[in-house]
Amino acid sequence: MVHAAQPAAGATRAVVLRLEDLALPPRYLTVPSHLPVSHLLRSLPLPSSSSFYLTSDGRPLAPSSPVASLPPSASIQLRLRALRGGGGDGGSTCAESRDCYLSMYLAKKPDKADPNEARLSRFTCCALSGEPLAAPAVADRLGNLFNKEALVEALLHKRLPKALSHIRGLKDMIPIHLHPKPDAADDEVRFQCPVTGFEFNGKSQFLVLRECGHVLSVKALKEVKTSACLVCHKEFDEADKMPINGTEEEVAVLRKKMEEERGKLKEKKDKKLANGLSGNKHAAAAVADAEKLENVKKGDTAAAKRFKAADHAPAYANKAVYASIFTSSKKSDFKETYSCRSLPLGRN
């Protein structure tokens, strides 16, 4: 029987230990040949929960293998095993606690806007500039509120955002009258309903009467059955009631109404242009031009008849002599000779 040669006492072996999975630089070690390969890992900061294995030239290497079994200047690779149960892809193993998921999804996200704060801002701030709402204030045809100065400036400089493209000019602004709340100089909510006293903070529904511009709560008009404004007593129709910062359904109805009004206005303008220019002066001129054109078509060419001086000669005058005053001499009266060339008027 042939026995493997035992390593000589004091023999050493140079080993390169590669640690890419641990994000560490390789280590160049010189260790006694009689020690096992696992001895190379004693000085490494390996967590107790990690699972690893060793390879040499791409082949698995048992930790108990002696260093002497490695080829000279051997290279050993440390590999970490993926965690079992999820395939190493971060998937669920069905063993996690459900409480952690509930805590994660039920926790309030810091970047999510508070709906109460958003509603309050719509009733207390300008929808364009974000500044506190103050007189003079206006509303567009969809029920949004603005400071008039900020809106006019944006229209002049053409800086309206795309969301407000339905505002084309001053005709699309409805001046509104907000009733101030007593002793509300330092409060965020500074207006209220003049009838019920409800604060203008979005918790109650408000509307504006387009005829007079007064802002009232919906409950005030429900309690008092009238067709006149409760502030200025001006008559209004049901169509004059416009919700302020209404729901999506209310805004859709207002948008449809706005488009219908614009369509009727455009149809009226087109009809006016089709009927011709307005005004008696322009109408008379158009009739005169039409009559003149009709006379020309009928053959009335008296105005365009060529002028002949002989036809207008006085009774005691010779027609030929009278005509010579207005016309040039006859070309037959001039003859060219060797010494001069006659150039009658109108020849050249």
Side-chain angles (χ1 to χ4, degrees), residues 165-334:
S165 59
H166 60 277
I167 304 177
R168 302 176 182 177
L170 297 177
K171 293 182 179 180
D172 295 326
M173 303 181 192
I174 302 173
I176 62 174
H177 304 288
L178 295 169
H179 187 74
K181 188 173 69 172
D183 302 329
D186 299 330
D187 294 347
E188 187 174 7
V189 180
R190 297 183 297 169
F191 305 103
Q192 67 178 17
C193 174
V195 179
T196 61
F198 289 168
E199 292 186 350
F200 195 67
N201 55 8
K203 294 183 179 180
S204 302
Q205 294 179 328
F206 279 79
L207 52 82
V208 59
L209 302 177
R210 297 178 58 175
E211 283 294 326
C212 60
H214 285 100
V215 177
L216 302 170
S217 64
V218 173
K219 187 175 182 180
L221 293 176
K222 284 184 178 180
E223 295 293 335
V224 182
K225 303 296 181 180
T226 179
S227 60
C229 176
L230 300 177
V231 179
C232 65
H233 308 292
K234 187 175 182 179
E235 294 290 333
F236 65 88
D237 298 330
E238 190 67 23
D240 294 330
K241 297 179 181 179
M242 187 182 73
I244 292 179
N245 293 325
T247 61
E248 293 183 1
E249 293 77 9
E250 291 174 335
V251 172
V253 173
L254 291 176
R255 187 181 296 276
K256 182 178 180 181
K257 182 179 178 181
M258 176 184 66
E259 293 174 354
E260 290 177 353
E261 291 178 352
R262 287 178 174 175
K264 291 179 180 178
L265 183 60
K266 185 177 183 301
E267 184 180 354
K268 185 177 180 180
K269 289 183 178 180
D270 294 342
K271 186 176 180 180
K272 186 176 180 180
L273 290 175
N275 291 335
L277 298 175
S278 61
N280 296 332
K281 181 178 179 181
H282 296 286
V287 172
D289 292 340
E291 292 179 353
K292 183 176 180 181
L293 181 62
E294 187 67 21
N295 293 334
V296 172
K297 290 182 179 179
K298 290 180 180 180
D300 186 8
T301 58
K305 189 176 180 181
R306 187 174 180 180
F307 175 81
K308 293 184 178 181
D311 297 338
H312 301 276
Y316 55 85
N318 188 324
K319 291 186 177 182
V321 176
Y322 184 80
S324 65
I325 300 175
F326 302 96
T327 58
S328 60
S329 301
K330 295 182 180 179
K331 295 181 181 180
S332 57
D333 298 338
F334 295 90

Side-chain angles (χ1 to χ4, degrees), residues 108 112-122:
K108 182 180 178 181
K112 188 176 181 180
D114 186 356
N116 296 325
E117 292 295 331
R119 182 185 66 246
L120 179 63
S121 176
R122 295 177 66 190

Side-chain angles (χ1 to χ4, degrees), residues 13-21 25-29 31 35-41 44 52-63 65-79:
R13 184 64 59 88
V15 179
V16 179
L17 182 61
R18 301 188 179 278
L19 307 169
E20 283 85 354
D21 287 7
R27 296 193 177 187
Y28 302 91
L29 306 175
V31 295
L35 294 177
V37 177
S38 60
H39 183 78
L40 303 174
L41 309 179
L44 295 180
F52 57 88
Y53 62 98
L54 298 172
T55 62
S56 177
D57 296 331
R59 299 178 180 179
L61 184 65
S65 301
V67 176
S69 64
L70 299 174
S73 301
S75 176
I76 299 177
Q77 182 78 32
L78 177 68
R79 294 291 186 182

Side-chain angles (χ1 to χ4, degrees), residues 1-178:
M1 178 180 290
V2 179
H3 296 278
Q6 299 292 330
T12 58
R13 184 64 59 88
V15 179
V16 179
L17 182 61
R18 301 188 179 278
L19 307 169
E20 283 85 354
D21 287 7
L22 297 179
L24 296 175
R27 296 193 177 187
Y28 302 91
L29 306 175
T30 303
V31 295
S33 300
H34 68 279
L35 294 177
V37 177
S38 60
H39 183 78
L40 303 174
L41 309 179
R42 295 179 58 184
S43 61
L44 295 180
L46 294 173
S48 59
S49 61
S50 63
S51 178
F52 57 88
Y53 62 98
L54 298 172
T55 62
S56 177
D57 296 331
R59 299 178 180 179
L61 184 65
S64 59
S65 301
V67 176
S69 64
L70 299 174
S73 301
S75 176
I76 299 177
Q77 182 78 32
L78 177 68
R79 294 291 186 182
L80 295 179
R81 288 191 177 94
L83 295 178
R84 296 180 179 180
D89 59 353
S92 172
T93 62
C94 300
E96 294 86 351
S97 173
R98 187 169 181 270
D99 293 337
C100 66
Y101 288 98
L102 293 177
S103 300
M104 178 175 64
Y105 287 107
L106 293 179
K108 182 180 178 181
K109 296 183 179 180
D111 57 342
K112 188 176 181 180
D114 186 356
N116 296 325
E117 292 295 331
R119 182 185 66 246
L120 179 63
S121 176
R122 295 177 66 190
F123 280 83
T124 58
C125 299
C126 172
L128 179 62
S129 64
E131 298 177 352
L133 203 62
V138 295
D140 63 6
R141 297 191 181 187
L142 301 183
N144 301 309
L145 302 178
F146 304 90
N147 288 335
K148 184 176 181 180
E149 183 178 354
L151 186 56
V152 171
E153 184 177 356
L155 283 171
L156 291 176
H157 295 88
K158 298 182 179 180
R159 295 176 182 173
L160 275 180
K162 188 176 181 180
L164 301 177
S165 59
H166 60 277
I167 304 177
R168 302 176 182 177
L170 297 177
K171 293 182 179 180
D172 295 326
M173 303 181 192
I174 302 173
I176 62 174
H177 304 288
L178 295 169

